[in-house]
Amino acid sequence: MASRMGLIGCLLVVVALLNGATAQVTAAGEYQVGDSLGWTVPPNTSYYTNWASSKTFFLGDALIFNATSGTHTVAIVSEADYNACTKVASVFQVQPCCPFRYTPESPGTYYIICTVSNHCEQGQKFSFTVESQNFTVESPAGSPTESPSNSASSLTVGALYAVLTTTVISFLTFF
């Protein structure tokens, strides 16, 4: 009887460890647009495009627009308006005192420009794509790191462990 109880205890520990290994932690990412440069006229026309292309954005992630100098705007525009740097009426003001936080509401491609003067033509614009799954884990450095994007597989594995555990415990208890 004592060996059976020890076996059951070991089995429970193994199942708990395996279940913990398959757990997913969801944490929305927060990205400072332009990193330390912030949201301002960039040093070259590809600066923000390069910045955005080095990131993977998921639903729930937030973009923080922090103007490091002067007043700028954030305009979410169509691809045509983005390509033409078209000035639009619907904009958000960004000043050094008051960062602007934007969280996309759905998956897809977004186009952002600054409508002040010729800032867009000087490269203060970028596009980015938001993916539908957000399964990230905070890395030790504090920046979001991608984890597997399929939660169904981890749920299936977790359910399988639960069924197997119940079956083995029942078997050991009655035999």
Coordinates of all heavy atoms in Angstrom, one line a residue, residues 25-107:
V25 N 1.6 31.9 -20.9 CA 1.4 33.2 -20.2 C 1.1 34.2 -21.3 O 1.9 34.4 -22.2 CB 2.6 33.5 -19.4 CG1 2.4 34.9 -18.7 CG2 2.9 32.5 -18.4
T26 N 0.0 34.9 -21.1 CA -0.3 36.0 -22.1 C 0.0 37.3 -21.5 O -0.5 37.7 -20.4 CB -1.8 35.9 -22.5 OG1 -2.1 34.6 -23.0 CG2 -2.2 37.0 -23.5
A27 N 0.8 38.1 -22.1 CA 1.1 39.4 -21.7 C 1.2 40.3 -22.9 O 2.0 40.1 -23.8 CB 2.5 39.4 -20.9
A28 N 0.4 41.3 -22.9 CA 0.4 42.3 -24.0 C 1.7 43.0 -24.0 O 2.3 43.4 -23.0 CB -0.8 43.2 -23.9
G29 N 2.3 43.2 -25.2 CA 3.5 44.0 -25.3 C 3.2 45.5 -25.4 O 2.1 45.9 -25.7
E30 N 4.2 46.2 -25.0 CA 4.1 47.7 -25.0 C 5.4 48.2 -25.7 O 6.5 47.9 -25.3 CB 4.1 48.3 -23.6 CG 3.4 49.6 -23.5 CD 3.1 50.0 -22.1 OE1 4.1 50.5 -21.5 OE2 2.0 49.8 -21.6
Y31 N 5.2 48.9 -26.8 CA 6.3 49.3 -27.7 C 6.4 50.8 -27.7 O 5.4 51.5 -28.1 CB 6.1 48.8 -29.1 CG 6.2 47.3 -29.1 CD1 5.0 46.5 -29.0 CD2 7.4 46.6 -29.2 CE1 5.0 45.2 -29.1 CE2 7.4 45.2 -29.2 CZ 6.2 44.5 -29.2 OH 6.2 43.1 -29.2
Q32 N 7.6 51.4 -27.4 CA 7.8 52.8 -27.5 C 8.2 53.0 -29.0 O 9.2 52.5 -29.5 CB 9.0 53.2 -26.6 CG 9.6 54.5 -26.9 CD 9.0 55.6 -26.1 OE1 8.4 55.4 -25.1 NE2 9.2 56.8 -26.6
V33 N 7.3 53.7 -29.7 CA 7.6 53.9 -31.2 C 8.9 54.7 -31.3 O 9.1 55.7 -30.7 CB 6.4 54.7 -31.8 CG1 6.7 55.0 -33.2 CG2 5.1 53.9 -31.7
G34 N 9.8 54.1 -32.2 CA 11.1 54.7 -32.4 C 12.1 54.5 -31.3 O 13.2 55.0 -31.4
D35 N 11.7 53.6 -30.4 CA 12.6 53.4 -29.2 C 13.1 54.7 -28.6 O 12.2 55.5 -28.3 CB 13.8 52.5 -29.6 CG 13.3 51.1 -30.1 OD1 12.4 50.6 -29.5 OD2 14.0 50.5 -31.0
S36 N 14.4 54.9 -28.4 CA 14.8 56.1 -27.6 C 14.7 57.4 -28.4 O 14.6 58.4 -27.9 CB 16.3 55.9 -27.2 OG 17.1 55.8 -28.4
L37 N 14.5 57.3 -29.8 CA 14.3 58.5 -30.6 C 12.9 59.1 -30.3 O 12.7 60.3 -30.3 CB 14.5 58.2 -32.1 CG 14.2 59.4 -33.0 CD1 15.3 60.4 -32.8 CD2 14.2 58.9 -34.4
G38 N 12.0 58.2 -30.0 CA 10.6 58.6 -29.8 C 9.9 58.9 -31.1 O 10.4 58.5 -32.2
W39 N 8.8 59.7 -31.1 CA 8.0 60.1 -32.2 C 8.4 61.5 -32.6 O 7.9 62.4 -32.0 CB 6.6 59.9 -31.9 CG 5.6 60.1 -33.1 CD1 4.6 61.1 -33.1 CD2 5.5 59.4 -34.3 NE1 3.9 61.0 -34.3 CE2 4.5 60.0 -35.1 CE3 6.3 58.4 -34.9 CZ2 4.1 59.5 -36.4 CZ3 6.0 57.9 -36.2 CH2 4.9 58.5 -36.9
T40 N 9.3 61.6 -33.6 CA 9.8 62.9 -34.0 C 10.3 62.8 -35.5 O 10.2 61.7 -36.0 CB 10.9 63.4 -33.1 OG1 11.2 64.8 -33.4 CG2 12.2 62.5 -33.2
V41 N 10.7 63.8 -36.1 CA 11.3 63.7 -37.4 C 12.5 62.9 -37.3 O 13.4 63.2 -36.6 CB 11.6 65.1 -38.0 CG1 12.2 65.0 -39.4 CG2 10.3 66.0 -38.1
P42 N 12.6 61.8 -38.1 CA 13.7 60.8 -38.0 C 15.0 61.3 -38.7 O 14.9 62.2 -39.6 CB 13.1 59.6 -38.6 CG 12.2 60.1 -39.6 CD 11.6 61.3 -39.0
P43 N 16.1 60.7 -38.4 CA 17.3 61.1 -39.0 C 17.4 60.6 -40.5 O 18.2 61.1 -41.3 CB 18.4 60.3 -38.2 CG 17.7 59.2 -37.5 CD 16.3 59.7 -37.3
N44 N 16.5 59.6 -40.9 CA 16.5 59.2 -42.3 C 15.0 58.7 -42.6 O 14.3 58.5 -41.7 CB 17.5 58.1 -42.6 CG 17.3 56.9 -41.8 OD1 16.3 56.2 -41.8 ND2 18.3 56.6 -41.0
T45 N 14.7 58.7 -43.9 CA 13.3 58.4 -44.2 C 12.9 56.9 -44.0 O 11.7 56.6 -44.0 CB 13.1 58.7 -45.7 OG1 14.0 57.9 -46.5 CG2 13.2 60.2 -46.0
S46 N 13.8 56.0 -43.7 CA 13.5 54.6 -43.5 C 13.5 54.3 -42.0 O 13.3 53.1 -41.6 CB 14.4 53.7 -44.3 OG 15.7 53.9 -43.9
Y47 N 13.8 55.2 -41.1 CA 14.0 54.9 -39.7 C 12.8 54.2 -39.1 O 12.9 53.1 -38.5 CB 14.2 56.2 -38.9 CG 14.5 56.0 -37.4 CD1 15.8 55.6 -37.0 CD2 13.5 56.0 -36.5 CE1 16.0 55.3 -35.7 CE2 13.7 55.7 -35.2 CZ 14.9 55.4 -34.8 OH 15.2 55.1 -33.4
Y48 N 11.6 54.7 -39.2 CA 10.4 54.1 -38.6 C 10.0 52.8 -39.3 O 9.5 51.9 -38.6 CB 9.2 55.1 -38.5 CG 9.5 56.2 -37.5 CD1 9.8 57.5 -37.8 CD2 9.5 55.9 -36.1 CE1 10.0 58.5 -36.9 CE2 9.7 56.9 -35.2 CZ 10.0 58.2 -35.6 OH 10.3 59.1 -34.6
T49 N 10.2 52.8 -40.6 CA 9.9 51.6 -41.3 C 10.8 50.4 -40.8 O 10.3 49.3 -40.6 CB 10.1 51.8 -42.9 OG1 9.2 52.8 -43.3 CG2 9.8 50.5 -43.6
N50 N 12.0 50.7 -40.7 CA 13.0 49.7 -40.1 C 12.6 49.3 -38.7 O 12.7 48.2 -38.3 CB 14.4 50.2 -40.2 CG 14.9 50.4 -41.6 OD1 14.4 49.8 -42.5 ND2 15.9 51.2 -41.8
W51 N 12.2 50.3 -37.9 CA 11.8 50.1 -36.5 C 10.7 49.1 -36.5 O 10.7 48.1 -35.8 CB 11.5 51.4 -35.8 CG 10.9 51.1 -34.4 CD1 11.6 50.9 -33.3 CD2 9.6 51.0 -34.1 NE1 10.8 50.7 -32.2 CE2 9.5 50.7 -32.7 CE3 8.4 51.1 -34.8 CZ2 8.3 50.5 -32.0 CZ3 7.2 50.9 -34.1 CH2 7.2 50.6 -32.7
A52 N 9.6 49.4 -37.2 CA 8.4 48.6 -37.2 C 8.7 47.2 -37.8 O 8.1 46.2 -37.3 CB 7.3 49.2 -38.0
S53 N 9.5 47.1 -38.8 CA 9.7 45.8 -39.5 C 10.5 44.8 -38.5 O 10.6 43.6 -38.8 CB 10.4 45.9 -40.8 OG 11.7 46.4 -40.6
S54 N 11.2 45.4 -37.5 CA 11.9 44.5 -36.6 C 11.1 44.0 -35.4 O 11.6 43.3 -34.6 CB 13.1 45.3 -36.0 OG 12.7 46.3 -35.1
K55 N 9.8 44.3 -35.5 CA 8.9 43.9 -34.4 C 7.8 43.0 -34.9 O 7.5 43.0 -36.1 CB 8.2 45.2 -33.8 CG 9.1 46.3 -33.4 CD 9.8 46.1 -32.1 CE 10.6 47.3 -31.7 NZ 12.0 47.3 -32.0
T56 N 7.2 42.2 -34.0 CA 6.0 41.4 -34.3 C 4.9 41.9 -33.4 O 5.1 41.9 -32.1 CB 6.3 39.9 -34.1 OG1 7.3 39.5 -34.9 CG2 5.0 39.1 -34.5
F57 N 3.8 42.4 -33.9 CA 2.8 43.0 -33.1 C 1.6 42.0 -33.1 O 1.2 41.4 -34.1 CB 2.3 44.3 -33.7 CG 3.4 45.4 -33.7 CD1 4.1 45.6 -34.9 CD2 3.7 46.1 -32.6 CE1 5.1 46.5 -35.0 CE2 4.8 47.0 -32.7 CZ 5.5 47.2 -33.9
F58 N 1.0 41.9 -31.9 CA -0.2 41.1 -31.7 C -1.3 41.9 -31.1 O -1.1 43.0 -30.5 CB 0.2 39.9 -30.7 CG 1.2 39.0 -31.2 CD1 2.5 39.2 -30.8 CD2 0.9 38.0 -32.0 CE1 3.5 38.3 -31.2 CE2 1.9 37.1 -32.5 CZ 3.2 37.3 -32.1
L59 N -2.6 41.3 -31.2 CA -3.7 42.0 -30.6 C -3.4 42.2 -29.1 O -2.9 41.3 -28.5 CB -5.0 41.1 -30.8 CG -5.8 41.3 -32.0 CD1 -7.0 40.4 -32.0 CD2 -6.2 42.8 -32.2
G60 N -3.8 43.4 -28.6 CA -3.5 43.7 -27.2 C -2.2 44.5 -27.0 O -2.1 45.1 -26.0
D61 N -1.3 44.4 -28.0 CA -0.1 45.2 -27.9 C -0.4 46.7 -28.0 O -1.3 47.1 -28.7 CB 0.9 44.8 -28.9 CG 1.5 43.4 -28.7 OD1 1.3 42.9 -27.6 OD2 2.2 43.0 -29.6
A62 N 0.3 47.5 -27.3 CA 0.1 49.0 -27.4 C 1.4 49.6 -27.9 O 2.5 49.2 -27.6 CB -0.1 49.5 -26.0
L63 N 1.1 50.7 -28.7 CA 2.2 51.5 -29.3 C 2.2 52.8 -28.5 O 1.1 53.5 -28.4 CB 2.0 51.7 -30.8 CG 2.4 50.6 -31.7 CD1 1.4 49.5 -31.6 CD2 2.7 51.1 -33.1
I64 N 3.3 53.2 -27.9 CA 3.4 54.5 -27.2 C 4.1 55.5 -28.0 O 5.3 55.3 -28.4 CB 4.1 54.3 -25.9 CG1 3.6 53.1 -25.1 CG2 4.1 55.6 -25.0 CD1 2.1 53.2 -24.7
F65 N 3.5 56.5 -28.4 CA 4.1 57.6 -29.2 C 4.5 58.7 -28.2 O 3.6 59.4 -27.6 CB 3.0 58.2 -30.2 CG 2.7 57.2 -31.2 CD1 1.7 56.2 -31.0 CD2 3.3 57.2 -32.5 CE1 1.4 55.3 -32.0 CE2 3.0 56.3 -33.5 CZ 2.0 55.4 -33.2
N66 N 5.8 58.9 -28.1 CA 6.3 59.9 -27.1 C 7.1 60.9 -27.9 O 8.2 60.6 -28.5 CB 7.2 59.2 -26.1 CG 7.6 60.1 -25.0 OD1 7.1 61.2 -24.9 ND2 8.6 59.7 -24.2
A67 N 6.6 62.1 -28.1 CA 7.3 63.2 -28.8 C 8.4 63.7 -27.9 O 8.2 64.1 -26.8 CB 6.3 64.3 -29.1
T68 N 9.6 63.6 -28.5 CA 10.8 64.0 -27.7 C 11.1 65.5 -27.9 O 11.9 66.0 -27.2 CB 12.0 63.1 -28.1 OG1 12.2 63.1 -29.5 CG2 11.8 61.7 -27.6
S69 N 10.6 66.0 -29.0 CA 10.7 67.5 -29.2 C 9.6 67.9 -30.1 O 9.2 67.3 -31.0 CB 12.1 67.8 -29.9 OG 12.1 67.2 -31.2
G70 N 9.1 69.1 -29.8 CA 8.0 69.7 -30.6 C 6.7 69.0 -30.5 O 6.5 68.0 -29.8
T71 N 5.7 69.4 -31.3 CA 4.4 68.8 -31.4 C 4.3 68.0 -32.6 O 4.7 68.5 -33.7 CB 3.3 69.9 -31.3 OG1 3.4 70.6 -30.1 CG2 1.9 69.3 -31.4
H72 N 3.7 66.8 -32.5 CA 3.6 65.9 -33.6 C 2.2 65.4 -33.6 O 1.5 65.5 -32.6 CB 4.6 64.8 -33.6 CG 6.0 65.3 -33.7 ND1 6.6 65.7 -34.9 CD2 6.9 65.6 -32.7 CE1 7.8 66.1 -34.6 NE2 8.0 66.1 -33.3
T73 N 1.8 64.7 -34.6 CA 0.4 64.1 -34.7 C 0.6 62.6 -35.0 O 1.6 62.2 -35.5 CB -0.5 64.7 -35.7 OG1 0.1 64.5 -37.0 CG2 -0.7 66.2 -35.4
V74 N -0.4 61.9 -34.6 CA -0.5 60.4 -35.0 C -1.8 60.3 -35.8 O -2.9 60.6 -35.3 CB -0.6 59.5 -33.8 CG1 -0.8 58.1 -34.2 CG2 0.7 59.6 -33.0
A75 N -1.7 60.0 -37.1 CA -2.9 59.8 -37.9 C -2.9 58.4 -38.4 O -1.9 57.9 -39.0 CB -2.9 60.8 -39.1
I76 N -4.0 57.7 -38.2 CA -4.1 56.3 -38.7 C -4.9 56.5 -40.0 O -6.0 57.0 -40.1 CB -4.9 55.4 -37.7 CG1 -4.1 55.4 -36.4 CG2 -5.1 54.1 -38.3 CD1 -4.9 55.5 -35.2
V77 N -4.2 56.1 -41.1 CA -4.7 56.4 -42.5 C -4.8 55.2 -43.3 O -4.3 54.1 -43.0 CB -3.8 57.5 -43.1 CG1 -3.8 58.8 -42.3 CG2 -2.4 57.0 -43.3
S78 N -5.4 55.4 -44.5 CA -5.4 54.3 -45.5 C -4.0 54.1 -46.1 O -3.2 55.0 -46.0 CB -6.4 54.6 -46.6 OG -6.0 55.7 -47.4
E79 N -3.9 53.0 -46.9 CA -2.6 52.8 -47.6 C -2.3 53.9 -48.6 O -1.2 54.4 -48.7 CB -2.6 51.4 -48.2 CG -1.3 51.1 -48.9 CD -1.2 49.7 -49.5 OE1 -2.3 49.1 -49.6 OE2 -0.1 49.3 -49.9
A80 N -3.4 54.3 -49.3 CA -3.2 55.4 -50.3 C -2.8 56.7 -49.6 O -1.9 57.4 -50.1 CB -4.5 55.6 -51.1
D81 N -3.4 57.1 -48.5 CA -3.0 58.3 -47.8 C -1.6 58.2 -47.2 O -0.9 59.2 -47.2 CB -4.0 58.6 -46.7 CG -5.4 59.1 -47.2 OD1 -5.4 59.5 -48.4 OD2 -6.4 59.0 -46.5
Y82 N -1.3 57.0 -46.8 CA 0.1 56.7 -46.3 C 1.1 57.0 -47.4 O 2.1 57.7 -47.2 CB 0.2 55.3 -45.8 CG 1.5 54.8 -45.4 CD1 2.1 55.1 -44.1 CD2 2.3 54.1 -46.2 CE1 3.3 54.7 -43.7 CE2 3.6 53.7 -45.9 CZ 4.1 54.0 -44.6 OH 5.3 53.5 -44.3
N83 N 0.9 56.4 -48.5 CA 1.8 56.5 -49.6 C 2.0 57.9 -50.1 O 3.1 58.4 -50.5 CB 1.5 55.6 -50.8 CG 1.7 54.1 -50.4 OD1 2.5 53.8 -49.6 ND2 0.8 53.2 -51.0
A84 N 0.9 58.7 -50.1 CA 0.9 60.1 -50.6 C 1.1 61.1 -49.5 O 1.2 62.3 -49.8 CB -0.5 60.4 -51.3
C85 N 1.3 60.6 -48.2 CA 1.4 61.5 -47.1 C 0.3 62.6 -47.1 O 0.5 63.8 -46.9 CB 2.8 62.2 -47.1 SG 4.1 61.1 -46.6
T86 N -0.9 62.1 -47.3 CA -2.1 62.9 -47.3 C -2.5 63.4 -45.9 O -2.5 62.7 -45.0 CB -3.3 62.2 -47.9 OG1 -3.0 61.7 -49.2 CG2 -4.6 63.0 -48.0
K87 N -2.7 64.7 -45.8 CA -3.1 65.3 -44.5 C -4.5 65.0 -44.3 O -5.4 65.2 -45.2 CB -2.9 66.9 -44.5 CG -1.5 67.3 -44.9 CD -0.6 67.3 -43.8 CE 0.7 68.0 -44.1 NZ 1.7 67.2 -44.7
V88 N -4.8 64.4 -43.2 CA -6.2 64.0 -42.8 C -6.6 64.8 -41.6 O -5.8 65.3 -40.8 CB -6.3 62.5 -42.5 CG1 -6.1 61.7 -43.8 CG2 -5.4 62.1 -41.4
A89 N -8.0 64.9 -41.4 CA -8.5 65.8 -40.3 C -8.5 65.0 -39.0 O -8.3 65.6 -37.9 CB -9.9 66.2 -40.6
S90 N -8.6 63.7 -39.0 CA -8.7 62.9 -37.7 C -7.3 62.6 -37.3 O -6.7 61.6 -37.8 CB -9.5 61.7 -38.0 OG -9.6 61.0 -36.8
V91 N -6.7 63.3 -36.3 CA -5.4 63.1 -35.8 C -5.4 63.2 -34.3 O -6.3 63.7 -33.7 CB -4.4 64.1 -36.4 CG1 -4.3 64.0 -37.9 CG2 -4.7 65.5 -35.9
F92 N -4.3 62.6 -33.7 CA -4.1 62.7 -32.3 C -2.9 63.5 -32.1 O -1.8 63.3 -32.7 CB -3.9 61.3 -31.7 CG -5.1 60.4 -31.9 CD1 -5.1 59.5 -33.0 CD2 -6.2 60.4 -31.1 CE1 -6.1 58.6 -33.2 CE2 -7.3 59.6 -31.3 CZ -7.3 58.7 -32.3
Q93 N -2.9 64.5 -31.2 CA -1.8 65.3 -30.9 C -0.8 64.6 -29.9 O -1.3 63.9 -29.0 CB -2.2 66.6 -30.2 CG -3.0 67.5 -31.1 CD -2.2 68.2 -32.2 OE1 -1.0 68.5 -32.0 NE2 -2.8 68.4 -33.3
V94 N 0.5 64.8 -30.2 CA 1.5 64.2 -29.3 C 2.5 65.3 -29.0 O 3.0 65.9 -29.9 CB 2.2 63.0 -30.0 CG1 3.2 62.4 -29.0 CG2 1.3 62.0 -30.5
Q95 N 2.6 65.5 -27.7 CA 3.6 66.6 -27.2 C 4.5 65.9 -26.2 O 4.2 64.9 -25.6 CB 2.8 67.7 -26.6 CG 1.9 68.4 -27.6 CD 1.1 69.5 -26.9 OE1 1.2 69.8 -25.7 NE2 0.2 70.1 -27.7
P96 N 5.7 66.6 -26.0 CA 6.6 66.0 -25.0 C 6.0 65.7 -23.6 O 6.4 64.8 -22.9 CB 7.7 67.0 -24.9 CG 7.7 67.7 -26.3 CD 6.3 67.7 -26.6
C97 N 5.0 66.5 -23.2 CA 4.4 66.3 -21.9 C 3.4 65.1 -21.9 O 3.2 64.5 -20.9 CB 3.6 67.5 -21.5 SG 2.1 67.8 -22.5
C98 N 2.9 64.8 -23.1 CA 1.7 63.9 -23.1 C 1.8 62.8 -24.1 O 1.4 63.0 -25.3 CB 0.5 64.7 -23.3 SG 0.4 66.2 -22.4
P99 N 2.5 61.6 -23.8 CA 2.5 60.6 -24.8 C 1.1 60.1 -25.2 O 0.2 60.2 -24.4 CB 3.3 59.5 -24.1 CG 3.9 60.1 -22.9 CD 3.1 61.3 -22.6
F100 N 1.0 59.5 -26.4 CA -0.2 59.0 -26.9 C -0.1 57.5 -27.0 O 0.9 56.9 -27.5 CB -0.5 59.6 -28.3 CG -1.7 58.9 -29.0 CD1 -3.0 59.0 -28.5 CD2 -1.5 58.1 -30.1 CE1 -4.0 58.4 -29.1 CE2 -2.5 57.5 -30.7 CZ -3.8 57.6 -30.2
R101 N -1.0 56.8 -26.5 CA -1.0 55.3 -26.5 C -2.1 54.8 -27.4 O -3.2 55.2 -27.4 CB -1.4 54.8 -25.1 CG -1.4 53.3 -24.9 CD -1.9 52.9 -23.5 NE -2.0 51.5 -23.3 CZ -1.0 50.8 -22.8 NH1 0.1 51.3 -22.3 NH2 -1.2 49.5 -22.7
Y102 N -1.7 53.9 -28.4 CA -2.6 53.3 -29.4 C -2.5 51.8 -29.3 O -1.5 51.2 -29.4 CB -2.2 53.8 -30.8 CG -3.1 53.2 -31.8 CD1 -4.5 53.5 -31.9 CD2 -2.6 52.3 -32.8 CE1 -5.3 53.0 -32.8 CE2 -3.4 51.8 -33.7 CZ -4.7 52.1 -33.8 OH -5.6 51.5 -34.7
T103 N -3.7 51.2 -29.1 CA -3.8 49.8 -29.1 C -4.8 49.4 -30.3 O -6.0 49.7 -30.2 CB -4.4 49.3 -27.8 OG1 -3.6 49.7 -26.7 CG2 -4.5 47.7 -27.7
P104 N -4.2 48.7 -31.3 CA -5.1 48.3 -32.4 C -6.2 47.4 -32.0 O -6.0 46.5 -31.1 CB -4.1 47.6 -33.4 CG -2.8 48.1 -33.0 CD -2.8 48.4 -31.5
E105 N -7.4 47.5 -32.6 CA -8.6 46.8 -32.1 C -8.8 45.5 -32.9 O -9.6 44.6 -32.4 CB -9.8 47.6 -32.3 CG -9.8 48.9 -31.4 CD -11.0 49.7 -31.5 OE1 -11.9 49.4 -32.3 OE2 -11.1 50.8 -30.9
S106 N -8.1 45.3 -34.0 CA -8.3 44.1 -34.8 C -7.0 43.7 -35.5 O -6.2 44.6 -35.8 CB -9.5 44.2 -35.7 OG -9.2 45.3 -36.6
P107 N -6.9 42.5 -36.0 CA -5.7 42.1 -36.8 C -5.8 42.8 -38.1 O -6.9 43.2 -38.6 CB -5.9 40.6 -37.0 CG -7.0 40.1 -36.1 CD -7.8 41.3 -35.7

